[in-house]
Amino acid sequence: MDAEIAQKTWELENNIVPMDTPPSGGAARTKTDPSADAIFYYDEAAQTKFQQEKPWVNDPHFFKRVKISALALLKMVVHARSGGTIEVMGLMQGKTDGDAIIVMDAFALPVEGTETRVNAQADAYEYMVDYSQTNKQAGRLENVVGWYHSHPGYGCWLSGIDVSTQMLNQQFQEPFLAVVIDPTRTVSAGKVDIGAFRTYPEGYKPPDDPISEYQTIPLNKIEDFGVHCKQYYSLDITYFKSCLDSHLLDLLWNKYWVNTLSSSPLLGNGDYVAGQISDLAEKLEQAENHLSHSRFGPLVTPTQRKKDEESQLAKITRDSAKITVEQVHGLMSQVIKDILFNSVQQSNRSNTEPSGPEPMIES
Amino acid sequence: MAESSSSGLTFKLHPLVMVNISDHYSRVKSQMNPPIAAHNATATTTATNNNNNNGAEAVETASSSSSSSSASSPRVFGCVIGVQRGRTVEIFNSFELLYDPETHSLERGFLEKKQELYKKVFPHFYILGWYSTGSDAQESDMTIHKALMDINESPVYVLLNPVINPAQKDLPITIYESELHVIDGVPQLIFVSSSYTIETVEAERISVDHVAHLKPSDGGSAATQLAAHLTGIHSAIKMLNSRIRVLHHYLLAMQKGEIPCENSLLRQVSSLLRRLPAVESGKFQDDFLMEYNDTLLITYLAVLTNCSSTMNELVDKFNTAYDRHSRRGGGGRTAFF
């Protein structure tokens, strides 16, 4: 029963809204709690009307939220992970709902995106058109509403190329959304690393600095990140699933618990962690060099630079703490499994009293 | 029709396929039964939309398009793809197909087109079979099954039961194979159900967990992360515990004689128990302790980094405090620029 209570608590905290509330009358389309699976309904008339009105033209910050369906998330993460260390990309289909963009489905594009190609999407236009047509026939009526790609191992943000691609998209294919997934960090941290972004139009200055969650960026990418990080803003992501989905996923747990117990994050992520640590070491050296310079020239060093060094070191500390925490979690799982399954001695004596999964004989 | 299969193939199903089928079904169902408010406002457009869709979907729901309020269960159809290695059939993904109600078959041209598209992105996957929704396999399904046999000589049929039954403990998915059985002297193909396991990759597991079991979506504090991680393991161990209890009670009952002794089950339980301890060898202990030490080392390094950073801040504050006294006047620094 604790599992149920825990589930309800987490559900509240995470804004996951299962679609089984009863129909609520006229304003059903614009409320955040749609009626039974109504979010799956594609209302063509309302969508075309919204397209013609174009309320986003006057407000660069118009779209604030993203709702991603369980299916789209699963597909995107699996596709991103299957690419290994190569960036992969795909498109998302969905619709808009007031100031939220709803992503219903995603599909992969047969394109190898590298950071140096400006418009990898151009190669896949034929594929896109074919796929969209077949989908419409099969009953998937939504339009393409965004694109996603993966940044394996270096975090969820938009690089310079990504920013220019997205700005182009936002000029000609509105409403359009950019989503970035990091499959390596997902697996390492045990939670999905995903970000949704929209760029500001050229020359627009955001009224206030948006507070974004801190994430560690490897040294070789940090310049690219810093130059462009003010040109886009991130949107909140929530997830939704249908009643049938919830039902299936609940039942799935009956078979799935085995996988949860048997997963060993330490084994799978050795390379990535080693890379992180060496990157951290480089950053530390850099910080040390700056510090030693400032020691010899206290007269000409502005106080500002001192502050930067300190925050640099603080960042490094935070990164190292994060890596360690993940490692410790992995180790905890290993130790628990060891105690559960290994601390048993073969003995010819008969069974002791029933006590669940404790080892038969304590070693 | 549904006896158990004897072909010896093991089936592995990925959760993505289940979510795919469920989404396809919810979509079609929702397009057919639009929410009441939207339905009233846009009655004519939805009628046209529904007519367009219905032409492609199962025939029994065509009549209920514009006036339905009760839930009619449309049947959806599609194809499953994956990999077959030896005797193991692993189903990775799926996509929708068009069903032609007159000939009771799936449109071949559409299937081939879709297959091409999917081959480009997933070159390793082959068509393994097809799926549908419903509560039981039907006679007409056999015609579809036979039609697919020229692509794959023994296709699988995945059936999802979309009726939500809260008392259900098992996944409402059955996998059928076709076998040639002699019934009344006539060899016929019938469906036999097979067992399957759920297979997953780590990334899939995490995202399924994320959507189903509600891990915290953002960083949170270290405490919430720890709590989430341990809660996951705790739930898994509870499941293990309950399963073992069930086995234990069953064995006790057998011992008391309430239930007839089933030797095959006893053999299985005995082999299971004999597998503990799971790994016992010097080499394992060495590796395990090495991993343990590595993690401790990382923790040590992180703590050292933390300490040196704090020290650095302290020293800087100290210097700033002292420097101000030794410079000419207060705020002497800014005068230089």
Side-chain angles (χ1 to χ4, degrees):
Chain A
M1 273 306 125
D2 315 292
E4 268 202 40
I5 300 176
Q7 182 170 348
K8 293 277 182 276
T9 328
W10 289 128
E11 239 175 27
L12 279 174
E13 279 188 30
N14 280 297
N15 314 321
I16 295 187
V17 186
M19 310 275 112
D20 53 3
T21 48
S24 47
R29 277 210 51 101
T30 50
K31 281 222 187 114
T32 43
D33 258 33
S35 44
D37 284 347
I39 202 167
F40 286 90
Y41 174 67
Y42 181 70
D43 189 346
E44 185 144 356
Q47 287 296 309
T48 23
K49 184 158 164 284
F50 195 71
Q51 291 269 35
Q52 283 163 349
E53 278 175 14
K54 292 202 216 301
W56 53 79
V57 168
N58 299 324
D59 182 7
H61 219 291
F62 180 72
F63 290 112
K64 296 189 180 53
R65 300 172 292 135
V66 178
K67 292 194 200 164
I68 303 187
S69 76
L71 177 66
L73 180 70
L74 209 49
K75 277 192 175 172
M76 293 196 283
V77 173
V78 167
H79 180 219
R81 183 63 171 164
S82 71
T85 44
I86 304 181
E87 290 103 1
V88 295
M89 64 183 285
L91 293 178
M92 309 185 291
Q93 293 174 294
K95 51 193 180 181
T96 52
D97 183 14
D99 68 345
I101 299 188
I102 306 183
V103 175
M104 309 287 308
D105 194 11
F107 61 91
L109 288 177
V111 163
E112 254 185 39
T114 67
E115 281 302 308
T116 55
R117 290 179 47 190
V118 176
N119 199 359
Q121 274 174 255
D123 283 353
Y125 279 146
E126 198 187 315
Y127 184 93
M128 260 197 270
V129 168
D130 273 344
Y131 196 95
S132 303
Q133 272 181 344
T134 52
N135 256 356
K136 284 224 159 52
Q137 281 182 296
R140 160 83 62 201
L141 307 164
E142 289 91 9
N143 294 320
V144 170
V145 86
W147 65 301
Y148 71 90
H149 66 290
S150 69
H151 277 181
Y154 51 97
C156 292
W157 44 281
L158 290 183
S159 68
I161 314 278
D162 296 337
V163 166
S164 43
T165 317
Q166 177 63 11
M167 277 212 239
L168 205 66
N169 284 332
Q170 281 186 208
Q171 277 185 310
F172 298 114
Q173 288 190 60
E174 279 282 54
F176 217 70
L177 177 70
V179 162
V180 182
I181 298 188
D182 186 345
T184 322
R185 285 204 190 164
T186 299
V187 174
S188 156
K191 63 178 182 67
V192 183
D193 202 18
I194 187 173
F197 308 103
R198 276 179 61 83
T199 49
Y200 293 123
E202 194 86 25
Y204 174 81
K205 269 226 157 4
D208 53 15
D209 247 359
I211 306 164
S212 56
E213 184 191 328
Y214 171 75
Q215 53 181 329
T216 143
I217 319 269
L219 259 185
N220 51 356
K221 308 269 181 192
I222 204 162
E223 261 190 54
D224 199 6
F225 171 72
V227 167
H228 299 279
C229 66
K230 295 278 177 270
Q231 293 177 307
Y232 54 89
Y233 68 97
S234 69
L235 294 93
D236 290 325
I237 302 182
T238 50
Y239 304 97
F240 66 90
K241 46 189 173 150
S242 67
C243 321
L244 187 56
D245 284 342
S246 323
H247 182 68
L248 281 180
L249 291 171
D250 279 340
L251 292 176
L252 186 60
W253 178 243
N254 286 340
K255 308 244 164 126
Y256 227 45
W257 58 274
V258 178
N259 294 72
T260 310
L261 201 52
S262 66
S263 76
S264 347
L266 281 188
L267 289 177
N269 289 319
D271 288 345
Y272 171 66
V273 173
Q276 288 286 87
I277 295 182
S278 72
D279 185 71
L280 207 56
E282 281 176 23
K283 283 193 186 154
L284 209 51
E285 266 192 45
Q286 244 192 20
E288 190 195 337
N289 286 340
H290 283 166
L291 277 174
S292 58
H293 284 157
S294 67
R295 282 285 159 270
F296 290 127
L299 290 174
V300 295
T301 313
T303 42
Q304 265 187 340
R305 211 199 298 166
K306 275 271 174 76
K307 283 204 198 113
D308 278 347
E309 280 1 288
E310 279 159 274
S311 63
Q312 169 86 322
L313 200 51
K315 276 192 210 159
I316 292 176
T317 316
R318 222 183 317 177
D319 291 346
S320 70
K322 183 161 169 286
I323 297 177
T324 312
V325 161
E326 288 172 13
Q327 282 292 97
V328 170
H329 282 176
L331 185 67
M332 268 194 268
S333 322
Q334 297 290 83
V335 168
I336 289 177
K337 282 189 284 193
D338 184 50
I339 295 178
L340 261 185
F341 299 117
N342 270 354
S343 43
V344 171
Q345 272 172 4
Q346 292 289 3
S347 160
N348 290 331
R349 287 185 304 168
S350 55
N351 252 345
T352 51
E353 70 285 339
S355 50
E358 267 107 282
M360 295 193 296
I361 298 125
E362 290 279 351
S363 63
Chain B
M1 237 200 212
E3 306 150 15
S4 57
S5 137
S6 54
S7 67
L9 291 176
T10 38
F11 291 101
K12 294 189 184 169
L13 189 63
H14 277 250
L16 176 58
V17 178
M18 290 198 311
V19 180
N20 243 338
I21 304 180
S22 140
D23 172 81
H24 186 196
Y25 173 77
S26 314
R27 234 191 304 140
V28 168
K29 184 161 169 224
S30 138
Q31 280 301 117
M32 287 190 182
N33 313 318
I36 320 250
H39 176 76
N40 287 338
T42 58
T44 44
T45 20
T46 52
T48 359
N49 275 346
N50 283 340
N51 284 334
N52 286 339
N53 292 341
N54 281 341
E57 303 297 348
V59 65
E60 57 255 34
T61 56
S63 53
S64 61
S65 52
S66 43
S67 58
S68 65
S69 54
S70 62
S72 52
S73 279
R75 284 198 85 189
V76 298
F77 297 87
C79 190
V80 295
I81 60 179
V83 179
Q84 176 159 4
R85 291 188 200 96
R87 311 236 63 166
T88 318
V89 178
E90 199 165 347
I91 304 179
F92 276 95
N93 208 339
S94 65
F95 56 84
E96 309 91 9
L97 287 178
L98 293 180
Y99 176 71
D100 195 358
E102 282 99 53
T103 63
H104 285 290
S105 65
L106 302 169
E107 263 185 56
R108 185 44 69 92
F110 187 81
L111 183 136
E112 264 150 35
K113 194 136 188 261
K114 267 300 236 261
Q115 186 186 10
E116 255 182 62
L117 290 176
Y118 269 83
K119 262 287 187 207
K120 283 199 199 145
V121 192
F122 300 112
H124 305 289
F125 292 166
Y126 297 100
I127 292 191
L128 291 177
W130 61 294
Y131 70 79
S132 172
T133 53
S135 44
D136 213 351
Q138 294 172 6
E139 295 289 344
S140 53
D141 295 343
M142 192 40 98
T143 33
I144 307 179
H145 201 84
K146 285 197 184 131
L148 270 180
M149 273 181 168
D150 56 348
I151 302 185
N152 180 337
E153 67 262 354
S154 74
V156 306
Y157 172 34
V158 181
L159 182 69
L160 169 75
N161 188 349
V163 174
I164 298 179
N165 181 1
Q168 211 171 9
K169 288 285 162 67
D170 253 346
L171 280 174
I173 295 189
T174 1
I175 293 193
Y176 291 106
E177 285 186 282
S178 58
E179 273 186 5
L180 206 56
H181 278 224
V182 178
I183 302 179
D184 304 327
V186 177
Q188 272 183 0
L189 276 180
I190 61 167
F191 282 126
V192 291
S193 69
S194 344
S195 62
Y196 57 94
T197 52
I198 303 283
E199 175 79 15
T200 184
V201 285
E202 186 69 10
E204 207 176 356
R205 180 187 76 78
I206 294 177
S207 32
V208 167
D209 254 354
H210 192 88
V211 183
H213 260 262
L214 325 143
K215 295 257 167 80
S217 51
D218 50 27
S221 66
T224 45
Q225 276 185 336
L226 182 64
H229 188 244
L230 289 179
T231 313
I233 299 193
H234 173 79
S235 328
I237 295 182
K238 242 166 43 133
M239 286 297 287
L240 182 63
N241 190 2
S242 67
R243 295 290 159 93
I244 294 183
R245 268 190 210 285
V246 166
L247 270 183
H248 185 86
H249 283 148
Y250 192 75
L251 288 176
L252 275 181
M254 254 203 237
Q255 194 179 39
K256 286 191 209 148
E258 290 163 16
I259 304 179
C261 254
E262 206 186 304
N263 284 324
S264 64
L265 191 74
L266 286 176
R267 273 198 295 274
Q268 282 183 335
V269 174
S270 145
S271 80
L272 184 70
L273 292 177
R274 244 179 272 267
R275 283 227 223 121
L276 296 176
V279 186
E280 190 176 43
S281 73
K283 183 101 186 4
F284 172 74
Q285 276 297 97
D286 283 344
D287 283 346
F288 185 67
L289 288 175
M290 207 153 52
E291 208 175 46
Y292 204 107
N293 282 336
D294 283 345
T295 313
L296 289 179
L297 193 61
I298 294 180
T299 323
Y300 188 43
L301 280 177
V303 170
L304 277 181
T305 318
N306 203 358
C307 281
S308 49
S309 149
T310 325
M311 282 283 275
N312 186 41
E313 279 176 34
L314 179 67
V315 166
D316 279 338
K317 285 184 192 154
F318 194 73
N319 277 345
T320 325
Y322 257 109
D323 277 346
R324 215 186 279 170
H325 289 304
S326 65
R327 267 184 217 302
R328 18 190 166 150
R333 276 221 176 110
T334 48
F336 285 93
F337 304 100

mmCIF file of all heavy atoms in Angstrom, chain A residues 234-250:
data_model
loop_
_atom_site.group_PDB
_atom_site.id
_atom_site.type_symbol
_atom_site.label_atom_id
_atom_site.label_comp_id
_atom_site.label_asym_id
_atom_site.label_seq_id
_atom_site.Cartn_x
_atom_site.Cartn_y
_atom_site.Cartn_z
ATOM 1 N N SER A 234 13.765 28.326 -22.322
ATOM 2 C CA SER A 234 13.294 26.941 -22.216
ATOM 3 C C SER A 234 11.859 26.928 -21.702
ATOM 4 O O SER A 234 11.422 27.820 -20.996
ATOM 5 C CB SER A 234 14.200 26.120 -21.314
ATOM 6 O OG SER A 234 14.077 26.536 -19.999
ATOM 7 N N LEU A 235 11.141 25.887 -22.098
ATOM 8 C CA LEU A 235 9.737 25.778 -21.717
ATOM 9 C C LEU A 235 9.580 24.648 -20.716
ATOM 10 O O LEU A 235 10.364 23.696 -20.702
ATOM 11 C CB LEU A 235 8.880 25.460 -22.949
ATOM 12 C CG LEU A 235 8.807 26.541 -24.022
ATOM 13 C CD1 LEU A 235 9.865 26.315 -25.076
ATOM 14 C CD2 LEU A 235 7.445 26.527 -24.662
ATOM 15 N N ASP A 236 8.547 24.753 -19.894
ATOM 16 C CA ASP A 236 8.271 23.683 -18.933
ATOM 17 C C ASP A 236 7.713 22.475 -19.646
ATOM 18 O O ASP A 236 6.896 22.603 -20.549
ATOM 19 C CB ASP A 236 7.213 24.147 -17.916
ATOM 20 C CG ASP A 236 7.771 25.191 -16.995
ATOM 21 O OD1 ASP A 236 8.962 25.094 -16.674
ATOM 22 O OD2 ASP A 236 7.009 26.086 -16.616
ATOM 23 N N ILE A 237 8.122 21.332 -19.191
ATOM 24 C CA ILE A 237 7.641 20.103 -19.830
ATOM 25 C C ILE A 237 6.797 19.314 -18.837
ATOM 26 O O ILE A 237 7.219 19.085 -17.710
ATOM 27 C CB ILE A 237 8.814 19.218 -20.272
ATOM 28 C CG1 ILE A 237 9.704 19.982 -21.236
ATOM 29 C CG2 ILE A 237 8.308 17.960 -20.941
ATOM 30 C CD1 ILE A 237 10.849 19.165 -21.758
ATOM 31 N N THR A 238 5.621 18.933 -19.270
ATOM 32 C CA THR A 238 4.848 17.976 -18.476
ATOM 33 C C THR A 238 4.506 16.821 -19.402
ATOM 34 O O THR A 238 4.598 16.925 -20.619
ATOM 35 C CB THR A 238 3.550 18.577 -17.924
ATOM 36 O OG1 THR A 238 2.870 19.209 -19.009
ATOM 37 C CG2 THR A 238 3.809 19.575 -16.837
ATOM 38 N N TYR A 239 4.092 15.724 -18.798
ATOM 39 C CA TYR A 239 3.804 14.536 -19.596
ATOM 40 C C TYR A 239 2.366 14.113 -19.384
ATOM 41 O O TYR A 239 1.770 14.396 -18.354
ATOM 42 C CB TYR A 239 4.728 13.384 -19.188
ATOM 43 C CG TYR A 239 6.167 13.758 -19.292
ATOM 44 C CD1 TYR A 239 6.872 14.184 -18.174
ATOM 45 C CD2 TYR A 239 6.819 13.721 -20.515
ATOM 46 C CE1 TYR A 239 8.187 14.561 -18.277
ATOM 47 C CE2 TYR A 239 8.131 14.098 -20.612
ATOM 48 C CZ TYR A 239 8.811 14.511 -19.502
ATOM 49 O OH TYR A 239 10.118 14.886 -19.598
ATOM 50 N N PHE A 240 1.829 13.422 -20.370
ATOM 51 C CA PHE A 240 0.477 12.912 -20.189
ATOM 52 C C PHE A 240 0.383 11.525 -20.813
ATOM 53 O O PHE A 240 1.189 11.135 -21.647
ATOM 54 C CB PHE A 240 -0.560 13.853 -20.801
ATOM 55 C CG PHE A 240 -0.470 13.965 -22.298
ATOM 56 C CD1 PHE A 240 -1.189 13.113 -23.126
ATOM 57 C CD2 PHE A 240 0.325 14.923 -22.888
ATOM 58 C CE1 PHE A 240 -1.106 13.216 -24.499
ATOM 59 C CE2 PHE A 240 0.414 15.027 -24.263
ATOM 60 C CZ PHE A 240 -0.304 14.175 -25.067
ATOM 61 N N LYS A 241 -0.602 10.792 -20.380
ATOM 62 C CA LYS A 241 -0.830 9.461 -20.949
ATOM 63 C C LYS A 241 -2.323 9.176 -20.902
ATOM 64 O O LYS A 241 -3.052 9.761 -20.114
ATOM 65 C CB LYS A 241 -0.070 8.410 -20.137
ATOM 66 C CG LYS A 241 -0.244 8.584 -18.654
ATOM 67 C CD LYS A 241 0.676 7.694 -17.850
ATOM 68 C CE LYS A 241 0.558 8.067 -16.383
ATOM 69 N NZ LYS A 241 0.775 7.013 -15.459
ATOM 70 N N SER A 242 -2.765 8.250 -21.723
ATOM 71 C CA SER A 242 -4.197 7.950 -21.763
ATOM 72 C C SER A 242 -4.523 6.941 -20.672
ATOM 73 O O SER A 242 -3.644 6.376 -20.049
ATOM 74 C CB SER A 242 -4.566 7.369 -23.113
ATOM 75 O OG SER A 242 -3.963 6.104 -23.242
ATOM 76 N N CYS A 243 -5.810 6.697 -20.449
ATOM 77 C CA CYS A 243 -6.202 5.729 -19.414
ATOM 78 C C CYS A 243 -5.646 4.368 -19.733
ATOM 79 O O CYS A 243 -5.162 3.654 -18.854
ATOM 80 C CB CYS A 243 -7.718 5.556 -19.307
ATOM 81 S SG CYS A 243 -8.626 7.026 -19.488
ATOM 82 N N LEU A 244 -5.738 4.020 -21.001
ATOM 83 C CA LEU A 244 -5.235 2.695 -21.384
ATOM 84 C C LEU A 244 -3.742 2.611 -21.138
ATOM 85 O O LEU A 244 -3.228 1.607 -20.642
ATOM 86 C CB LEU A 244 -5.555 2.442 -22.861
ATOM 87 C CG LEU A 244 -5.252 1.041 -23.365
ATOM 88 C CD1 LEU A 244 -5.983 0.019 -22.530
ATOM 89 C CD2 LEU A 244 -5.668 0.914 -24.817
ATOM 90 N N ASP A 245 -3.033 3.696 -21.444
ATOM 91 C CA ASP A 245 -1.598 3.736 -21.170
ATOM 92 C C ASP A 245 -1.333 3.516 -19.696
ATOM 93 O O ASP A 245 -0.492 2.698 -19.313
ATOM 94 C CB ASP A 245 -1.004 5.093 -21.570
ATOM 95 C CG ASP A 245 -0.832 5.222 -23.064
ATOM 96 O OD1 ASP A 245 -0.834 4.177 -23.741
ATOM 97 O OD2 ASP A 245 -0.687 6.353 -23.545
ATOM 98 N N SER A 246 -2.048 4.274 -18.837
ATOM 99 C CA SER A 246 -1.807 4.134 -17.395
ATOM 100 C C SER A 246 -2.059 2.713 -16.966
ATOM 101 O O SER A 246 -1.276 2.136 -16.208
ATOM 102 C CB SER A 246 -2.730 5.026 -16.568
ATOM 103 O OG SER A 246 -2.950 6.228 -17.193
ATOM 104 N N HIS A 247 -3.149 2.161 -17.453
ATOM 105 C CA HIS A 247 -3.513 0.799 -17.078
ATOM 106 C C HIS A 247 -2.406 -0.167 -17.469
ATOM 107 O O HIS A 247 -1.946 -0.987 -16.669
ATOM 108 C CB HIS A 247 -4.818 0.465 -17.782
ATOM 109 C CG HIS A 247 -5.346 -0.887 -17.462
ATOM 110 N ND1 HIS A 247 -5.817 -1.236 -16.214
ATOM 111 C CD2 HIS A 247 -5.479 -1.986 -18.216
ATOM 112 C CE1 HIS A 247 -6.213 -2.475 -16.237
ATOM 113 N NE2 HIS A 247 -6.020 -2.969 -17.437
ATOM 114 N N LEU A 248 -1.960 -0.037 -18.717
ATOM 115 C CA LEU A 248 -0.905 -0.932 -19.197
ATOM 116 C C LEU A 248 0.366 -0.765 -18.390
ATOM 117 O O LEU A 248 1.009 -1.745 -18.015
ATOM 118 C CB LEU A 248 -0.598 -0.632 -20.663
ATOM 119 C CG LEU A 248 -1.568 -1.205 -21.686
ATOM 120 C CD1 LEU A 248 -1.111 -0.816 -23.063
ATOM 121 C CD2 LEU A 248 -1.611 -2.708 -21.570
ATOM 122 N N LEU A 249 0.727 0.505 -18.127
ATOM 123 C CA LEU A 249 1.979 0.732 -17.427
ATOM 124 C C LEU A 249 1.898 0.202 -15.999
ATOM 125 O O LEU A 249 2.883 -0.312 -15.460
ATOM 126 C CB LEU A 249 2.329 2.222 -17.442
ATOM 127 C CG LEU A 249 2.702 2.728 -18.830
ATOM 128 C CD1 LEU A 249 2.819 4.241 -18.836
ATOM 129 C CD2 LEU A 249 4.013 2.127 -19.277
ATOM 130 N N ASP A 250 0.723 0.329 -15.376
ATOM 131 C CA ASP A 250 0.584 -0.243 -14.044
ATOM 132 C C ASP A 250 0.820 -1.741 -14.070
ATOM 133 O O ASP A 250 1.547 -2.283 -13.249
ATOM 134 C CB ASP A 250 -0.846 -0.005 -13.513
ATOM 135 C CG ASP A 250 -0.995 1.386 -12.963
ATOM 136 O OD1 ASP A 250 0.045 1.987 -12.655
ATOM 137 O OD2 ASP A 250 -2.135 1.847 -12.855
#
